[in-house]
């Protein structure tokens, strides 16, 4: 990490409400870091307008301009290196990443996924939770490793599934939790409470054995041994 304030790159594909929560937490001083840039793989992603309006450098690298996932990832590596990010935060970034990207930024990429991992990696998470009859749903912040949505989980936001929920209103309730847990994880990183060693996530220097949890307005820290 740099001796100065850590630098964060945020990757989005659309709305960017998680990006916005992260930017707001930085601006409010809750997170002691600078947003170095916001990158989208889609031109016209609404989140880019918010970033630009807040004087954050934005860049668009359209995956459709590249012949392969690897070529797209290599282009992102080159573009992002120019901003010297300490951490890369995937915030609704809807592309599968290859080792070209993951190895280049190993141990520095985090993702937010809208399920209580290891349940429901991939897409349509809320519909799958409803169909399974789950009584709770949520989102997870995890370290990104080679396998999709499978890196160690650091913190989860948990919400109750309510009678009559459909995927849309469940997603909206989970999104509220997402906006709490992603800034909290980044805050832990900036405070040195959370550190990464290879593929291990350490909380206060010890391996996380159970993710932290944000439920009913109460934050429970990760359990370690
Ligand atoms: C969020 O719910 C995020 O968890 C999800 O996309 C949404 C983006 O919303 N991410 C994934 O599904 C990644 N597989 P946002 O653009 O408003 O932050």
């Amino acid at each position: 990490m740099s001796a100065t304030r850590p630098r964060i790159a945020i990757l989005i594909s659309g709305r960017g409400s998680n990006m916005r929560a992260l930017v707001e937490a930085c601006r409010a001083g809750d997170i002691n870091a600078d947003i170095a840039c916001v990158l989208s793989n889609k031109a016209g992603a609404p989140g880019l307008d918010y970033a630009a309006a807040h004087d954050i450098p934005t860049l668009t690298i359209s995956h459709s301009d590249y012949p392969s996932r690897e070529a797209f990832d290599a282009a992102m590596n080159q573009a992002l290196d120019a901003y010297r990010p300490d951490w890369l935060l995937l915030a609704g970034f809807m592309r599968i990443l290859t080792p070209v990207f993951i190895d280049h930024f190993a141990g520095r990429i985090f993702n937010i996924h809208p399920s209580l991992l290891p349940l429901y990696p991939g897409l349509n998470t809320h519909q799958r939770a409803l169909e399974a009859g789950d009584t709770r749903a949520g989102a997870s912040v995890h370290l990104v490793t080679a396998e999709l949505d499978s890196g160690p989980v650091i913190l989860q936001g948990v919400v109750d599934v309510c009678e009559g929920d459909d995927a849309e209103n469940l997603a909206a309730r989970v999104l509220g939790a997402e906006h709490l847990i992603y800034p909290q994880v980044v805050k832990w990183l900036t405070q040195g409470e959370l550190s990464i060693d290879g593929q291990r996530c350490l909380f206060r220097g010890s391996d996380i054995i159970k993710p932290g949890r944000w439920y009913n307005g109460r934050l429970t820290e990760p359990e370690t041994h």
Side-chain angles (χ1 to χ4, degrees):
M1 198 193 311
S2 342
T4 51
R5 278 159 66 90
R7 296 168 62 77
I8 291 170
I10 305 179
L11 278 65
I12 65 170
S13 296
R15 177 178 53 185
S17 71
N18 276 291
M19 172 211 64
R20 186 176 180 146
L22 291 160
V23 170
E24 283 171 359
C26 289
R27 301 256 153 148
D30 289 339
I31 294 176
N32 189 19
D34 294 320
I35 309 290
C37 65
V38 171
L39 179 151
S40 171
N41 65 310
K42 283 197 179 163
L48 289 173
D49 294 337
Y50 174 87
H54 288 75
D55 298 322
I56 298 166
T58 60
L59 47 161
T60 301
I61 300 185
S62 297
H63 58 275
S64 52
D65 288 346
Y66 295 87
S68 64
R69 288 189 189 278
E70 287 77 9
F72 169 63
D73 284 2
M76 287 204 297
N77 289 352
Q78 194 180 8
L80 287 166
D81 278 346
Y83 291 92
R84 296 176 288 106
D86 294 290
W87 297 304
L88 297 100
L89 308 180
L90 311 182
F93 185 70
M94 304 305 282
R95 295 296 300 168
I96 292 175
L97 295 163
T98 71
V100 170
F101 186 86
I102 293 172
D103 293 348
H104 187 72
F105 295 113
R108 297 196 277 144
I109 314 168
F110 298 85
N111 181 41
I112 188 155
H113 180 76
S115 78
L116 297 174
L117 291 171
L119 292 174
Y120 317 128
L123 299 174
N124 302 319
T125 54
H126 304 300
Q127 190 58 39
R128 288 154 74 197
L130 289 170
E131 281 166 12
D134 295 350
T135 55
R136 288 183 183 163
S140 306
V141 177
H142 66 95
L143 180 69
V144 171
T145 56
E147 206 181 329
L148 182 70
D149 299 332
S150 296
V153 177
I154 299 155
L155 182 61
Q156 296 185 313
V158 182
V159 304
D160 291 317
V161 176
C162 300
E163 204 159 323
D165 265 348
D166 59 18
E168 198 176 331
N169 57 31
L170 182 56
R173 195 173 317 115
V174 170
L175 194 65
E178 295 186 36
H179 297 162
L180 298 173
I181 61 174
Y182 219 169
Q184 180 63 56
V185 168
V186 181
K187 187 174 175 180
W188 281 333
L189 279 170
T190 59
Q191 291 172 332
E193 302 269 59
L194 173 69
S195 56
I196 309 301
D197 181 5
Q199 299 206 352
R200 293 162 62 205
C201 289
L202 309 176
F203 193 70
R204 299 192 186 123
S206 300
D207 283 288
I208 294 177
I209 51 168
K210 192 171 168 202
R213 211 167 83 124
W214 204 316
Y215 176 59
N216 267 345
R218 183 163 162 263
L219 175 66
T220 309
E221 291 182 346
E223 275 181 36
T224 59
H225 66 59

